[in-house]
Amino acid sequence: MGADLQVQLILLLPLAGALFNGLGGLFLPGLRERETLFGIVGTLVVAIPFVLILLLFLSFAGEPLVLDYYTWMAAGDFQVSFAYRVDELSLIMGLVVSGVGALIHLYSVGYMHGDPGYWRFFAYMNLFIFMMLNLVFGDNLLVLFLGWEGVGLCSYLLIGFWYTDLTNSAAANKAFIVNRIGDFAFLMAMFLLFRELGALDFGTLLADPSALSQSTVNWVVLLLFIGATGKSAQIPLFVWLPDAMAGPTPVSALIHAATMVTSGLYLLARLSPLVLAAPTMMAVIAIVGATTAIMAATIAITQNDIKRVLAYSTVSQLGYMFMSAGVGAFFVAIFHVFTHAFFKACLFLGSGSVIHGMHEVEHQLHEQGHQGHLDPQDMRTMGGLKKFMPSTRMTYLFATVAIAGLPLTAGFFSKDEILFKAFEYGYAGNGYAWFVWGVGIVTALLTAFYMMRSYMLTFEGESRWPMAETIKPKESPWTITLPLWVLGILSLVAGFVGIPGVIAHGEWNWIHHFLGEPYGGPVAESVLPAHGEGFLAIEWALIGLGSAIAIIGLWIGWRVYSRDGLAYDAKLSARFGRVYKWWQGKYFWDEFYQRTVVGPVVGGAHKLWAPFDQYIVDGVVNGVGYVTRGTGQLLRYVQTGRVQNYATAIVLGVVLVVALMLFG
């Protein structure tokens, strides 16, 4: 099978799955009960593209392959093709999107069982994968933007999947509206690039960034970064992501781990030669990333909803990736995207398995006449689940230590590389990188702590739900636990594709050699002065520091929560006082936006636009109605219903016409 046909199948199979599931469920209501059919089709149309991308990856010879299918639009000098690019970056991202996506689809087969919108769910999920693959494989900014907007639309549909709950609808609206702000900036960047270069394909855009003035480059990079802050949930546009967990848990896993939130990082990595030409904007990117990382980590410490902890963790880890991009280590950002996809998907799917078990507890409580509501996502009502859900517990633990950066797990390699690159950039004379590195160290400690807190409150200690001595949850079915085990094991071993440069002089850092421009890849990176002999000791010391931070954070979390359980939250609150309340209140970003943006806009609309609508728009519309009715009132005297009157009118009319002909 030729590469041309492979790429077509990779893109079209998920679309075909979306059409089959969507149209089949919509027009053949009798088919909606065939969950197995929808599940198998929905999963295969993502799994087969993964195999095809894997074949492309294994046969890739190092030369980018550009497939131009047809001209999408042409107007004057403006011409854009539906063209796709197969190179190192699109292959890595494609493997992550389709591989993790296929596991999430398999998981959904069991998780969504019994949902009346089962067919609709798989239609949306397949469409999401189709759009994401367009984003990743597109050879120009417009095809990328098509996928960019497509995942935005699908996220709206999936976050608000259970749309009868107004909370879910509000979360979907929030995600959609906030992302449009970033998208507007992305569009402005495209307009600027086309005005200056007359093209939007990556070959032309990246051929010679020096052809653009420094001012233009700065504006383009800043606008692209604003676009990325929307999709990848950075300050100030991060507020939609924690609320996005309102959708079904597989949706959270798909959005948070493998697809939508990585779009911003992919965009910067794809355009890395351009970003490197704007050092001032790089500083902005790094500082925003670092600030987002620590802010989200402190919020995560105070959250009791298991999915909210993971949601803020995603925001924080994305901050790490932007820190890396901001110091010119774009391949490391993609490396962390790669490892993060495994442990974050495992954590979200594990939380879904826990929620599945707690729903069973809630059901049994109702059967036994227990009054009151049990929140199946609140960790305060969990505890002791390791006895009942061993597979979920073990895989959740794997992913927890991986995201914490325990030595030799996936998160250790990628996070340590980010911290090292930040340190190295500062060492080379870029002062802001020291701030980034310091924040990264503190955030790493917080990450290990809050993730261990999440594990301890969920799986260890005594069970805290009512009637816990008689009501016992069950482990999830294999369609749920199998993806957990695959992702859990990958969370432990996937980091070995990026062994630190201090070992074997960097020869074993495969992902750097695969993606990095110095080795023929598409991802550019900062060029720093060569280090002296003494720097080797510093590198080892940094690895030791990173390891110690992860171990200390995990140990503190395990010790205090195994000793005090939930009571430690109260101690923490008392110790940090107002600061803790600030964290608990999520820095009051939502309230800030409500007061400064939403309130004034809504209030202004009521004061200014409502009168305009009422008196001008309604006045014109109502005026037309009044005129029509008044005319009718006058003409009704003519419509008497008497034939004699009509005959008289006709005769008078004839006389009038004849008179006009004779004397006019």
Side-chain angles (χ1 to χ4, degrees):
M1 186 187 298
D4 194 2
L5 180 58
Q6 281 179 273
V7 172
Q8 289 181 37
L9 289 174
I10 288 166
L11 291 162
L12 293 179
L13 278 173
L15 178 62
L19 292 174
F20 174 82
N21 288 322
L23 298 179
L26 186 63
F27 293 110
L28 299 172
L31 203 63
R32 295 178 186 177
E33 303 301 320
R34 305 284 296 276
E35 286 190 356
T36 307
L37 177 64
F38 288 122
I40 289 175
V41 171
T43 304
L44 282 179
V45 296
V46 183
I48 293 173
F50 169 72
V51 175
L52 294 172
I53 297 171
L54 187 62
L55 292 174
L56 281 175
F57 171 77
L58 293 174
S59 61
F60 185 70
E63 287 299 319
L65 177 66
V66 177
L67 301 166
D68 191 339
Y69 289 108
Y70 65 91
T71 301
W72 181 6
M73 56 182 80
D77 295 334
F78 180 67
Q79 183 165 321
V80 176
S81 297
F82 256 109
Y84 296 92
R85 170 179 288 260
V86 178
D87 64 4
E88 295 88 340
L89 184 56
S90 60
L91 284 171
I92 288 282
M93 291 296 295
L95 284 171
V96 170
V97 170
S98 60
V100 177
L103 290 170
I104 293 172
H105 277 70
L106 175 61
Y107 174 97
S108 304
V109 170
Y111 191 84
M112 296 301 291
H113 171 62
D115 192 288
Y118 196 90
W119 59 276
R120 189 163 50 89
F121 177 81
F122 276 95
Y124 294 163
M125 292 282 276
N126 286 168
L127 189 63
F128 201 118
I129 295 293
F130 167 71
M131 290 300 180
M132 192 66 200
L133 290 174
N134 269 277
L135 190 157
V136 167
F137 283 98
D139 183 51
N140 57 63
L141 277 179
L142 211 56
V143 173
L144 188 154
F145 191 71
L146 171 73
W148 183 279
E149 287 299 300
V151 295
L153 169 65
C154 293
S155 69
Y156 169 76
L157 296 172
L158 285 166
I159 294 168
F161 181 73
W162 291 314
Y163 56 84
T164 53
D165 186 334
L166 290 181
T167 305
N168 297 343
S169 298
N173 289 337
K174 189 174 183 180
F176 192 80
I177 293 167
V178 171
N179 270 285
R180 297 293 76 72
I181 299 170
D183 295 351
F184 178 74
F186 189 175
L187 277 172
M188 292 296 104
M190 276 200 290
F191 292 151
L192 262 178
L193 283 170
F194 180 75
R195 189 191 70 180
E196 297 297 322
L197 298 174
L200 291 175
D201 64 283
F202 295 131
T204 305
L205 295 183
L206 303 177
D208 184 15
S210 63
L212 297 168
S213 69
Q214 188 61 53
S215 170
T216 302
V217 172
N218 285 344
W219 275 110
V220 167
V221 173
L222 177 62
L223 290 168
L224 289 173
F225 175 59
I226 293 172
T229 59
K231 277 287 182 289
S232 297
Q234 298 294 287
I235 291 174
L237 301 180
F238 75 97
V239 291
W240 68 271
L241 190 57
D243 290 355
M245 64 162 202
T249 299
V251 174
S252 306
L254 194 65
I255 291 176
H256 285 245
T259 54
M260 185 169 167
V261 299
T262 63
S263 305
L265 270 305
Y266 172 77
L267 178 66
L268 295 185
R270 174 59 76 192
L271 299 175
S272 50
L274 201 61
V275 181
L276 284 172
T280 306
M281 293 304 113
M282 285 175 60
V284 172
I285 293 170
I287 291 170
V288 169
T291 308
T292 305
I294 195 166
M295 179 204 67
T298 51
I299 295 174
I301 292 173
T302 66
Q303 300 300 301
N304 294 313
D305 185 311
I306 186 170
K307 285 178 67 177
R308 277 198 175 274
V309 174
L310 300 180
Y312 281 105
S313 163
T314 300
V315 176
S316 182
Q317 296 302 306
L318 289 166
Y320 266 106
M321 297 168 201
F322 278 96
M323 287 161 54
S324 182
V327 297
F330 298 94
F331 81 92
V332 185
I334 296 299
F335 181 26
H336 201 53
V337 167
F338 178 75
T339 60
H340 181 262
F342 301 128
F343 50 71
K344 187 49 61 68
C346 186
L347 287 166
F348 260 110
L349 297 185
S351 74
S353 181
V354 167
I355 294 166
H356 194 266
M358 293 305 294
H359 269 303
E360 177 64 22
V361 169
E362 186 183 23
H363 182 65
Q364 292 184 42
L365 282 170
H366 289 161
E367 281 186 343
Q368 298 196 20
H370 176 76
Q371 300 297 318
H373 173 66
L374 176 76
D375 185 349
Q377 297 183 195
D378 193 332
M379 295 186 296
R380 290 172 296 186
T381 63
M382 299 178 187
L385 285 177
K386 70 176 182 181
K387 293 175 288 189
F388 312 110
M389 310 183 78
S391 289
T392 304
R393 173 253 186 159
M394 190 55 71
T395 52
Y396 195 93
L397 182 59
F398 287 171
T400 295
V401 297
I403 194 174
L406 188 72
L408 303 185
T409 61
F412 164 75
F413 289 106
S414 53
K415 194 180 296 181
D416 186 74
E417 190 80 359
I418 290 172
L419 293 174
F420 170 71
K421 287 297 181 184
F423 182 92
E424 188 183 37
Y425 206 65
Y427 192 78
N430 302 286
Y432 72 87
W434 291 116
F435 165 77
V436 172
W437 176 75
V439 171
I441 289 289
V442 176
T443 305
L445 181 69
L446 295 174
T447 304
F449 175 78
Y450 72 69
M451 285 310 304
M452 181 51 75
R453 170 181 178 266
S454 166
Y455 168 78
M456 296 296 292
L457 292 181
T458 304
F459 294 99
E460 300 288 343
E462 296 297 323
S463 303
R464 293 185 290 275
W465 58 86
M467 304 170 70
E469 62 284 356
T470 55
I471 294 179
K472 304 180 191 308
K474 297 175 184 174
E475 180 58 280
S476 299
W478 72 269
T479 52
I480 289 179
T481 56
L482 177 62
L484 288 179
W485 277 107
V486 174
L487 291 167
I489 292 170
L490 287 171
S491 301
L492 297 180
V493 303
F496 283 93
V497 301
I499 293 176
V502 71
I503 298 172
H505 305 289
E507 293 300 317
W508 294 352
N509 195 323
W510 173 83
I511 199 163
H512 188 194
H513 289 205
F514 189 65
L515 291 175
E517 195 176 44
Y519 304 95
V523 180
E525 57 190 87
S526 299
V527 178
L528 301 178
H531 307 306
E533 288 293 327
F535 197 75
L536 188 64
I538 295 176
E539 289 185 60
W540 278 111
L542 290 173
I543 290 177
L545 178 62
S547 304
I549 287 291
I551 293 169
I552 291 170
L554 287 169
W555 180 78
I556 294 174
W558 172 80
R559 182 173 176 274
V560 298
Y561 283 99
S562 62
R563 184 191 63 200
D564 299 333
L566 272 177
Y568 190 75
D569 282 353
K571 289 184 179 180
L572 207 58
S573 175
R575 182 170 300 170
F576 286 93
R578 287 186 178 180
V579 176
Y580 188 88
K581 292 188 183 304
W582 195 255
W583 297 343
Q584 202 170 30
K586 296 167 281 186
Y587 291 85
F588 302 102
W589 277 96
D590 284 318
E591 290 78 1
F592 172 73
Y593 284 142
Q594 183 65 35
R595 287 187 179 180
T596 59
V597 181
V598 180
V601 169
V602 174
H606 280 300
K607 290 180 180 175
L608 296 177
W609 295 110
F612 177 80
D613 184 56
Q614 183 178 355
Y615 297 113
I616 305 299
V617 177
D618 287 358
V620 170
V621 173
N622 292 336
V624 171
Y626 291 141
V627 169
T628 305
R629 191 173 64 179
T631 306
Q633 290 286 343
L634 290 173
L635 291 177
R636 71 193 176 99
Y637 296 108
V638 179
Q639 300 294 325
T640 60
R642 294 181 178 177
V643 177
Q644 294 90 336
N645 292 350
Y646 299 152
T648 303
I650 292 170
V651 171
L652 289 175
V654 170
V655 171
L656 180 62
V657 171
V658 171
L660 287 173
M661 292 175 65
L662 292 175
F663 307 107

